[in-house]
Coordinates of all heavy atoms in Angstrom, one line a residue:
Chain C
N125 N -27.5 138.4 69.6 CA -27.5 139.4 68.5 C -28.9 140.0 68.2 O -29.1 140.6 67.2 CB -26.9 138.8 67.2 CG -25.4 138.6 67.3 OD1 -24.8 139.5 67.7 ND2 -24.9 137.5 66.8
I126 N -29.8 139.8 69.1 CA -31.1 140.5 69.0 C -31.3 141.3 70.2 O -31.0 140.9 71.4 CB -32.2 139.4 68.9 CG1 -32.1 138.6 67.6 CG2 -33.6 140.1 68.9 CD1 -33.0 137.4 67.5
P127 N -31.7 142.6 70.1 CA -31.9 143.5 71.2 C -32.7 142.9 72.3 O -33.8 142.2 72.0 CB -32.5 144.7 70.6 CG -32.2 144.7 69.2 CD -32.1 143.3 68.8
L128 N -32.3 143.1 73.5 CA -33.0 142.5 74.7 C -34.5 143.0 74.7 O -35.4 142.3 75.0 CB -32.3 142.9 76.0 CG -33.0 142.5 77.3 CD1 -33.2 141.0 77.3 CD2 -32.2 142.9 78.4
L129 N -34.6 144.3 74.4 CA -36.0 144.9 74.5 C -36.9 144.2 73.5 O -38.1 143.9 73.9 CB -35.9 146.4 74.1 CG -37.2 147.2 74.3 CD1 -37.6 147.2 75.7 CD2 -37.0 148.6 73.8
L130 N -36.4 143.8 72.3 CA -37.2 143.1 71.4 C -37.6 141.8 71.9 O -38.7 141.3 71.8 CB -36.4 143.0 70.1 CG -37.2 142.8 68.8 CD1 -36.3 143.2 67.6 CD2 -37.7 141.4 68.6
Q131 N -36.7 141.1 72.6 CA -37.0 139.8 73.2 C -38.0 139.9 74.3 O -38.9 139.0 74.4 CB -35.7 139.1 73.7 CG -34.7 138.9 72.6 CD -33.5 138.0 73.1 OE1 -33.7 137.1 73.9 NE2 -32.3 138.3 72.6
I132 N -37.9 140.9 75.1 CA -38.9 141.1 76.1 C -40.3 141.3 75.5 O -41.3 140.7 75.9 CB -38.6 142.4 77.0 CG1 -37.3 142.1 77.8 CG2 -39.7 142.7 78.0 CD1 -36.8 143.3 78.5
F133 N -40.4 142.2 74.5 CA -41.6 142.4 73.8 C -42.2 141.1 73.2 O -43.4 140.8 73.3 CB -41.5 143.4 72.7 CG -41.5 144.8 73.1 CD1 -41.0 145.8 72.3 CD2 -42.0 145.2 74.3 CE1 -41.0 147.1 72.7 CE2 -42.0 146.5 74.7 CZ -41.5 147.5 73.9
F134 N -41.3 140.3 72.6 CA -41.7 139.0 72.0 C -42.4 138.1 73.1 O -43.5 137.7 72.9 CB -40.5 138.3 71.4 CG -40.9 137.0 70.7 CD1 -41.5 137.0 69.5 CD2 -40.6 135.8 71.4 CE1 -41.9 135.8 68.9 CE2 -41.0 134.6 70.8 CZ -41.6 134.6 69.6
W135 N -41.7 137.9 74.2 CA -42.3 137.0 75.2 C -43.6 137.6 75.7 O -44.5 136.9 76.0 CB -41.3 136.8 76.3 CG -40.1 136.1 75.9 CD1 -38.8 136.5 75.9 CD2 -40.0 134.7 75.4 NE1 -37.9 135.6 75.5 CE2 -38.6 134.5 75.1 CE3 -40.9 133.7 75.0 CZ2 -38.1 133.3 74.5 CZ3 -40.4 132.6 74.5 CH2 -39.1 132.4 74.2
Y136 N -43.6 138.9 75.9 CA -44.7 139.5 76.6 C -45.9 139.6 75.6 O -47.0 139.2 75.9 CB -44.4 140.9 77.1 CG -45.4 141.5 77.9 CD1 -45.8 141.0 79.1 CD2 -46.1 142.7 77.5 CE1 -46.8 141.5 79.9 CE2 -47.1 143.3 78.3 CZ -47.4 142.7 79.5 OH -48.4 143.3 80.3
F137 N -45.7 140.2 74.4 CA -46.8 140.5 73.5 C -47.1 139.3 72.6 O -48.3 139.1 72.3 CB -46.6 141.7 72.7 CG -46.6 143.0 73.5 CD1 -45.5 143.7 73.7 CD2 -47.8 143.5 74.0 CE1 -45.5 144.9 74.4 CE2 -47.8 144.6 74.8 CZ -46.7 145.4 75.0
A138 N -46.1 138.6 72.2 CA -46.4 137.6 71.2 C -46.6 136.2 71.8 O -47.3 135.4 71.2 CB -45.2 137.5 70.2
V139 N -46.1 136.0 73.0 CA -46.3 134.7 73.6 C -47.3 134.7 74.8 O -48.3 134.1 74.7 CB -44.9 134.1 74.1 CG1 -45.2 132.8 74.8 CG2 -44.0 133.9 73.0
L140 N -47.0 135.5 75.8 CA -47.8 135.5 77.0 C -49.2 136.1 76.8 O -50.2 135.8 77.4 CB -47.1 136.1 78.2 CG -45.9 135.4 78.6 CD1 -45.1 136.2 79.7 CD2 -46.2 134.0 79.2
S141 N -49.3 137.1 75.9 CA -50.6 137.7 75.7 C -51.6 136.9 74.9 O -52.7 137.3 74.8 CB -50.4 139.1 74.9 OG -49.5 139.9 75.6
V142 N -51.1 135.9 74.2 CA -52.1 135.1 73.4 C -52.4 133.8 74.2 O -53.1 132.9 73.6 CB -51.5 134.7 72.0 CG1 -51.3 136.0 71.3 CG2 -50.2 133.9 72.2
L143 N -52.0 133.7 75.5 CA -52.4 132.5 76.2 C -53.9 132.6 76.5 O -54.6 133.7 76.5 CB -51.7 132.5 77.6 CG -50.2 132.1 77.4 CD1 -49.5 132.3 78.7 CD2 -50.0 130.7 76.9
P144 N -54.5 131.5 76.8 CA -56.0 131.5 77.1 C -56.4 132.3 78.3 O -55.5 132.5 79.2 CB -56.3 130.0 77.3 CG -55.0 129.3 77.6 CD -54.0 130.1 76.9
S145 N -57.6 132.6 78.5 CA -58.2 133.3 79.6 C -58.1 132.3 80.8 O -58.0 131.1 80.6 CB -59.6 133.7 79.4 OG -60.4 132.6 79.3
P146 N -58.3 132.8 82.0 CA -58.2 132.0 83.2 C -59.1 130.8 83.2 O -58.7 129.7 83.6 CB -58.6 132.9 84.4 CG -58.2 134.3 83.9 CD -58.4 134.2 82.4
R147 N -60.3 130.9 82.6 CA -61.2 129.8 82.6 C -60.7 128.6 81.7 O -61.0 127.5 82.0 CB -62.6 130.2 82.0 CG -63.3 131.1 83.0 CD -64.7 131.4 82.6 NE -65.4 132.1 83.7 CZ -65.9 131.5 84.8 NH1 -65.8 130.2 84.9 NH2 -66.4 132.2 85.7
Q148 N -60.0 129.0 80.7 CA -59.4 127.9 79.8 C -57.9 127.7 80.1 O -57.2 127.3 79.2 CB -59.5 128.3 78.3 CG -60.9 128.1 77.7 CD -61.8 129.2 77.9 OE1 -61.4 130.4 77.7 NE2 -63.1 129.0 78.3
S149 N -57.5 127.9 81.4 CA -56.1 127.8 81.7 C -55.5 126.5 81.3 O -56.2 125.5 81.3 CB -56.0 127.8 83.3 OG -56.2 129.1 83.7
L150 N -54.2 126.6 80.9 CA -53.5 125.3 80.7 C -53.1 124.9 82.2 O -52.6 125.7 83.0 CB -52.2 125.6 79.9 CG -52.4 126.3 78.6 CD1 -51.1 126.8 78.0 CD2 -53.1 125.3 77.6
S151 N -53.3 123.6 82.5 CA -52.9 123.3 83.9 C -52.1 122.0 83.9 O -52.2 121.2 83.0 CB -54.2 123.1 84.7 OG -54.7 121.9 84.5
L152 N -51.4 121.8 85.0 CA -50.6 120.6 85.2 C -51.1 120.0 86.5 O -51.0 120.7 87.6 CB -49.1 121.0 85.2 CG -48.1 119.9 85.2 CD1 -48.2 119.1 83.9 CD2 -46.7 120.4 85.4

Side-chain angles (χ1 to χ4, degrees):
Chain C
N125 284 319
I126 295 174
L128 175 60
L129 187 62
L130 205 161
Q131 297 191 34
I132 295 175
F133 279 162
F134 179 78
W135 297 116
Y136 188 63
F137 291 112
V139 177
L140 293 173
S141 304
V142 298
L143 287 173
S145 69
R147 290 187 173 281
Q148 278 89 43
S149 288
L150 307 168
S151 82
L152 192 63

